[in-house]
Amino acid sequence: MSTVKVPIGPQHPALKEPINFTIEIEGEQVVDAKVRIGYNHRGIEKACELRTYVRDIYLLERVCGICSHSHTTTFTQGVEELLDEDVPRRGLYIRTIVCELERLHSHMLWLGVAGHEIGFDTLLHYTWRDRELVMDFLEMISGNRVNYAMNTIGGVRRDISKDLIPTLKKGMDTFRERCEYYLKLCSEEPTVLERTQGVGVLPTHMARKLGAVGPTVRASAVDMDCRKDDPCAAYDEVPFEVCTWDSCDVFARVAVRILEMIQSCNMIQWMLDHLPKDEIRLKLKRRVPEGEVLSRYEAPRGELIHYIKSNGTDKPERVKVRTPTLANWPSVEYMLKGCYIADVPIIVASIDPCISCTDRVTFVDVEKEKTWVWDSNQLRRYGIEFYKKKRW
Amino acid sequence: MSQKRPKLKPSLKEDERLKAELEKAFGDTVEVWIPRAKRMFIKVKPGDHRKVIQWMRDNWDLQHVTTISGVDKGDTFEIVYHLYKYQGYRTYPNVKTEIPKKDPKIETIVDILPSADFYERETHDLLGIVFENHPNLERLILPDDWPEGVYPLRKDWLPEGVE
């Protein structure tokens, strides 16, 4: 049978980072997949070189709409290291609490999206309702739902008031209960099991070879987590476990993320109980001495690094940002090979990319020179119908 | 619990041991320094980066390329391979090398560490560094209609409207 090339993407005006996949199909099966990125390259690295360190914080916060705090955490701790200053512990704790709240809402959002991709919209509505709890907490702490503007060079900009602590702790109890419910639900519900078990398998040796990061690599039984390997902020003091799963499929990625949310709830409660009583920030110099630093942090999607080179002025010489999604694309290319067209949406979604790449799909039949276009909804519907029919 | 955070000074013993291993294998051809625990910078000559990276892969089971940074230093480009060793003692070796700006060519490491693929393409796109023998050095980040020979991360390029 001759193969057919299917370009997927790239535009989706509603989301950042559009992407294009060219998948080659033979009947129902994908035989090859290629990624083309950069449709929304905004030149942030260049822009960082032209601005001062303080302005860069606000610029880098806007690299990603979901893990905005991760970027500022990585950048500010890098600059703090260049300045060779110790940030007050209360500042570090609050920074870490916001980091973990961010992880909670990011993973919860992903769980909903995964549910939606497999046609289980009840899960989407349940999880997104629960996610509002965390969004409200973030608003209570920072005044914002998305770009919290909490981090600054030398600490954080807002304190967590005493009155808020009991509310947050109680909220974490509720959230953990919900996570435990989702873990039970996902491991028993036939819709989830049928669409995720044995789908998008990334064996351990391939995950290592392709340089996968974050929950994607942890779901392939590699216990790689920057929070443990290279503790930053308050992670060296907070007790937590690195969650892994060894089935290497989409289900493993679901399980790892839910387990991580349970860990995060515990961490937030522990940090609120042990919140130090010193300052939240330190006033630091604006000029940064010459040097270079490699700053790392485990963002919700995986290892995030900033390589910052300073030249003694108030502007950086070079800021290099490597987001976790970029590291995971080669793994997606690998996972797509040999899967069904119907599984493309969930496999692409399983790495939690910052995009919806299956937005607009053009099917090109090379032999017949015929082209037809499907949008993300049609592709998703196709996937659900395919599995309905398969359930003979 | 004390309120003052103790200065983070973990032991450098393991880092020193790895540094000694590298120096033993390569002698004077490498310059190794450890700015802090779990960070290691290794400066090599342009041709030697492959040897050092291959040695690390074979001896330390290092497979993960975190990213590749290119820095425009005026007359030269500095290329930094950020690697991640997570078998045994976990640390982050950074292999540095400098190539002339006039002839920005360097041998690829994709055949040694496949995860370098996207990062080499990214650096090629934005800085115009040619990674020789790369299997697929195509455009990754910039648009298809971006003019040839214009590299936005070079210092002599400025966006429109910026002085």
Side-chain angles (χ1 to χ4, degrees), chain A residues 80-87 282-285, chain B residues 7:
Chain A
E80 284 152 11
E81 197 181 316
L82 281 170
L83 286 161
D84 198 20
E85 294 281 358
D86 283 338
V87 178
L282 208 65
K283 287 261 180 200
L284 296 179
K285 291 182 298 239
Chain B
K7 195 106 168 148

Side-chain angles (χ1 to χ4, degrees), chain A residues 81 230 293-296, chain B residues 15 33-41 89 91-94:
Chain A
E81 197 181 316
D230 182 30
V293 70
L294 181 73
S295 179
R296 308 168 72 255
Chain B
D15 299 270
W33 68 100
I34 303 166
R36 70 166 175 94
K38 290 182 185 282
R39 293 285 186 280
M40 185 188 282
F41 283 89
Y89 176 69
T91 184
Y92 309 93
N94 302 276

Side-chain angles (χ1 to χ4, degrees), chain B residues 44-53 97-99 105-109:
Chain B
V44 297
K45 282 201 211 84
D48 293 348
H49 68 290
R50 278 176 59 86
K51 267 192 278 175
V52 174
I53 290 169
T97 184
E98 264 185 60
I99 55 168
K105 281 183 188 156
I106 190 157
E107 193 86 358
T108 181
I109 59 159

Side-chain angles (χ1 to χ4, degrees), chain A residues 66-70 98-106 148 300:
Chain A
I66 293 174
C67 39
S68 54
H69 188 76
S70 307
V98 178
C99 281
E100 288 310 309
L101 283 171
E102 188 179 72
R103 193 179 315 278
L104 283 180
H105 89 69
S106 175
Y148 327 112

Side-chain angles (χ1 to χ4, degrees), chain A residues 147 170 279 287 290 311 332:
Chain A
N147 292 327
K170 204 164 154 255
E279 297 295 306
R287 275 180 195 281
E290 208 172 315
N311 52 11
V332 174

Side-chain angles (χ1 to χ4, degrees), chain A residues 197-230:
Chain A
Q197 280 188 330
V199 173
V201 176
L202 183 69
T204 309
H205 72 279
M206 283 313 289
R208 292 196 58 204
K209 200 172 160 189
L210 296 169
V213 294
T216 311
V217 77
R218 287 196 286 278
S220 293
V222 180
D223 65 333
M224 181 173 124
D225 190 325
C226 297
R227 294 175 295 170
K228 263 280 192 270
D229 299 351
D230 182 30

